[in-house]
């Protein structure tokens, strides 16, 4: 079992149960999934760009990403219906906890000029979204083998009902928020 899953069951769950005085253990917020999304605008002109993005995403997540396609044509961006324009991965259970562990302890400290993540990036229902400007913060990516610096969106979906509960959950996971 993943290390953070044990930490959640042994320390975070009882702490949140006591802090918010829930009646049932099932009411305690937990992380349900982590979604990684990479929009590749350059895939319109060159199909190889998308292949590199897929390879990077696969190395980062440990899982094969799905290719996302355009929903409608936009002439200004030279995009047609069903053109591949990005990729995404949804991580759940053990892989999700392992990715979260690597993200918190290895990747986030490697971000340049890092002063903490914003605690205002919650969506109103306890889900947290963050953007990463460079994929090289992940140790799985070899700096010499990348073609271009690419960013991605990371969304952490929780069962928390409010932003405060979601923030408390992520703080107990040692998420590096600004004070």
């Amino acid at each position: 079992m993943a290390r953070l899953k044990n930490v959640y069951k042994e320390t975070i769950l009882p702490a949140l149960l006591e802090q918010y005085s829930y009646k049932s253990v099932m009411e305690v917020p937990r992380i349900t999934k982590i979604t990684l999304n990479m929009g590749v605008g350059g895939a319109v002109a060159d199909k190889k760009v998308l292949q590199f993005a897929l390879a990077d995403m696969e190395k980062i997540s440990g899982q094969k990403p799905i290719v996302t396609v355009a929903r409608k044509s936009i002439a200004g961006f030279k995009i047609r219906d069903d053109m591949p324009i990005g990729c995404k991965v949804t991580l759940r259970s053990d892989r999700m906890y392992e990715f979260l562990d690597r993200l918190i302890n290895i990747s986030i400290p490697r971000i340049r000029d890092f002063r903490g993540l914003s605690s205002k990036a919650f969506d109103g229902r306890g889900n947290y979204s963050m953007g990463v400007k460079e994929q090289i913060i992940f140790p799985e990516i070899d700096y010499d083998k990348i073609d271009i610096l690419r960013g991605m969106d990371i969304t952490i979906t929780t069962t928390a009902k409010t932003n405060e509960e979601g923030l408390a959950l992520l703080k107990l996971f040692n998420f590096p928020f600004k004070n």
Side-chain angles (χ1 to χ4, degrees), residues 121-127 160-163:
F122 285 92
D123 66 348
R125 296 180 183 236
N127 304 319
K161 292 176 179 67
T162 63
N163 289 349

Side-chain angles (χ1 to χ4, degrees), residues 104-116:
I104 294 168
N105 297 319
I106 300 168
S107 300
I108 291 178
R110 289 176 62 166
I111 295 175
R112 269 192 279 156
D113 301 331
F114 183 68
R115 291 188 185 87

Side-chain angles (χ1 to χ4, degrees), residues 117-132:
L117 295 170
S118 171
S119 58
K120 294 182 176 132
F122 285 92
D123 66 348
R125 296 180 183 236
N127 304 319
Y128 187 76
S129 296
M130 63 178 275
V132 173

Side-chain angles (χ1 to χ4, degrees), residues 36-158:
L36 307 175
N37 180 37
M38 191 184 285
V40 188
V44 176
D46 189 10
K47 300 284 184 255
K48 281 186 182 165
V49 174
L50 186 66
Q51 297 306 317
F52 284 123
L54 286 167
D56 285 351
M57 186 78 92
E58 190 168 358
K59 284 178 198 160
I60 290 167
S61 65
Q63 187 170 305
K64 189 173 183 241
I66 63 164
V67 176
T68 53
V69 293
R71 290 181 288 126
K72 62 180 188 176
S73 300
I74 302 169
F77 297 120
K78 298 186 174 103
I79 293 174
R80 300 281 159 255
D81 269 1
D82 300 327
M83 259 184 128
I85 53 168
C87 55
K88 72 174 186 177
V89 172
T90 302
L91 301 168
R92 297 176 197 270
S93 72
D94 284 345
R95 275 206 186 123
M96 170 190 72
Y97 281 110
E98 285 164 11
F99 175 78
L100 188 66
D101 197 7
R102 288 195 320 261
L103 180 72
I104 294 168
N105 297 319
I106 300 168
S107 300
I108 291 178
R110 289 176 62 166
I111 295 175
R112 269 192 279 156
D113 301 331
F114 183 68
R115 291 188 185 87
L117 295 170
S118 171
S119 58
K120 294 182 176 132
F122 285 92
D123 66 348
R125 296 180 183 236
N127 304 319
Y128 187 76
S129 296
M130 63 178 275
V132 173
K133 289 193 176 101
E134 314 172 322
Q135 82 273 37
I136 56 170
I137 64 165
F138 294 98
E140 298 87 3
I141 302 295
D142 186 14
Y143 184 77
D144 299 329
K145 292 198 171 91
I146 60 165
D147 58 329
I148 190 170
L149 290 176
R150 257 185 231 98
M152 67 175 67
D153 305 313
I154 300 171
T155 305
I156 299 168
T157 309
T158 66

